[in-house]
Amino acid sequence: MKKLVVGNLKMNLDLDQIASYLEIINEEVHSPHVVICPTSIYIPYFLSHDYRVGIQNTFLADEGAYTGEISPKQADSMGIAYTILGHSERRMYLKETDDFINKKIIAALKNYMRVIVCVGETLEERKMLKTDRVIKREITNALRGLTKEQLDNVVIAYEPIWAIGTNQTPTNKDIEDMINYIKLLVESYFNYPNIKVLYGGSVNEKNITELNKIKNLDGYLVGGASTNPEKFLKIIEVALS
Ligand code: 13P
């Protein structure tokens, strides 16, 4: 089974940088296994180059007076395949709660989008041995009320918060154990075996070969390294080999 590689460009790159990014990456990546999530205003450039495109957030309503938000209905109508929900940066800076995330997940699925649901523990939670509890809370709340058909369109991204942008990663064994835990959790709580699980947090062109030895892993959610087209291409090459 080929892995899925998702690039989350976050709030990076200006228009000139996007133009050169597209030039470099254009020849190489038109795989159904690669999804690029640029800052929303640049999405049309990526769509016009025939990439699989994701959006970094969608709102819980389909339309209405919600200044600054983008609805899953609007995103779907543009041909945007994926939405990232529950990212730790939005939980942290925008105070998104489990309940709010659950509502946004349901709205996105109703609009035929695929959803990448991010979960992960802080360093403090890890030190207090609360990792499993935090992941269980985030996942059971995020997926509450979803049908099996809806779960077909959900991918979980395990992103330990302390590994994001820090050049630190858990050991392969720790990641493998967590992937197993998440798969078992979704099976026992939602009667859904084999949910797809990605790893995210300081994935780069140097550690991808080692990370790619992890069994059970269904792909990667790449932040910083995906903003550099050469590095991102290297990650894709190894992950999809
Ligand atoms: P980094 O790859 O920069 O650590 O970011 C990971 C991430 O948050 C992807 O969503």
Side-chain angles (χ1 to χ4, degrees):
M1 198 55 185
K2 275 220 167 178
K3 293 196 174 79
L4 180 69
V5 183
V6 183
N8 176 8
L9 303 187
K10 307 191 181 183
M11 198 179 71
N12 292 303
L13 308 180
D14 63 19
L15 185 56
D16 288 344
Q17 291 169 318
I18 288 285
S20 38
Y21 187 93
L22 281 166
E23 250 167 49
I24 298 170
I25 215 154
N26 195 24
E27 298 302 307
E28 310 288 337
V29 187
H30 285 108
S31 162
H33 300 280
V34 177
V35 177
I36 305 182
C37 306
T39 310
S40 302
I41 52 172
Y42 303 128
I43 285 176
Y45 296 111
F46 285 82
L47 286 170
S48 67
H49 286 79
D50 289 334
Y51 295 110
R52 293 200 89 189
V53 172
I55 187 163
Q56 295 173 19
N57 175 48
T58 43
F59 195 57
L60 48 73
D62 281 354
E63 60 201 7
Y66 302 104
T67 302
E69 292 297 316
I70 296 173
S71 82
K73 188 173 177 213
Q74 292 173 314
D76 176 63
S77 76
M78 291 282 289
I80 299 169
Y82 285 83
T83 180
I84 300 175
L85 296 174
H87 196 284
S88 58
E89 287 151 14
R90 295 192 65 89
R91 291 181 194 258
M92 203 163 27
Y93 300 125
L94 295 146
K95 306 279 179 278
E96 292 197 1
T97 63
D98 283 355
D99 182 52
F100 184 63
I101 292 161
N102 171 251
K103 289 193 170 86
K104 296 205 298 181
I105 291 169
I106 291 171
L109 292 168
K110 283 193 174 143
N111 283 287
Y112 314 106
M113 298 193 80
R114 289 172 182 266
V115 182
I116 298 164
V117 180
C118 302
V119 296
E121 80 285 1
T122 62
L123 189 57
E124 197 187 358
E125 287 161 344
R126 187 176 188 86
K127 281 184 182 155
M128 304 276 283
L129 305 177
K130 286 183 180 167
T131 300
D132 286 7
R133 212 186 308 167
V134 169
I135 300 302
K136 184 170 167 180
R137 192 207 79 226
E138 288 184 333
I139 290 184
T140 52
N141 286 338
L143 305 187
R144 179 164 295 128
L146 300 197
T147 63
K148 279 189 189 173
E149 289 69 32
Q150 287 177 316
L151 286 165
D152 285 341
N153 290 317
V154 171
V155 179
I156 307 278
Y158 171 57
E159 298 206 303
I161 294 169
W162 54 272
I164 295 178
T166 57
N167 263 328
Q168 283 185 289
T169 55
T171 61
N172 277 12
K173 165 102 175 50
D174 281 354
I175 296 174
E176 196 172 323
D177 286 350
M178 181 48 72
I179 305 299
N180 280 335
Y181 175 69
I182 291 172
K183 291 191 182 213
L184 270 176
L185 200 66
V186 176
E187 180 169 6
S188 57
Y189 276 79
F190 299 94
N191 199 15
Y192 189 90
N194 298 320
I195 188 92
K196 298 263 183 294
V197 186
L198 314 180
Y199 169 75
S202 293
V203 176
N204 61 41
E205 76 291 357
K206 296 193 193 90
N207 60 21
I208 186 65
T209 306
E210 188 59 26
L211 288 170
N212 214 37
K213 293 177 185 161
I214 298 171
K215 298 182 196 82
N216 263 339
L217 191 52
D218 299 299
Y220 305 94
L221 179 53
V222 188
S226 73
T227 64
N228 176 314
E230 284 91 0
K231 290 182 183 176
F232 193 41
L233 286 171
K234 168 78 181 160
I235 292 168
I236 293 165
E237 184 193 316
V238 175
L240 301 187
S241 62

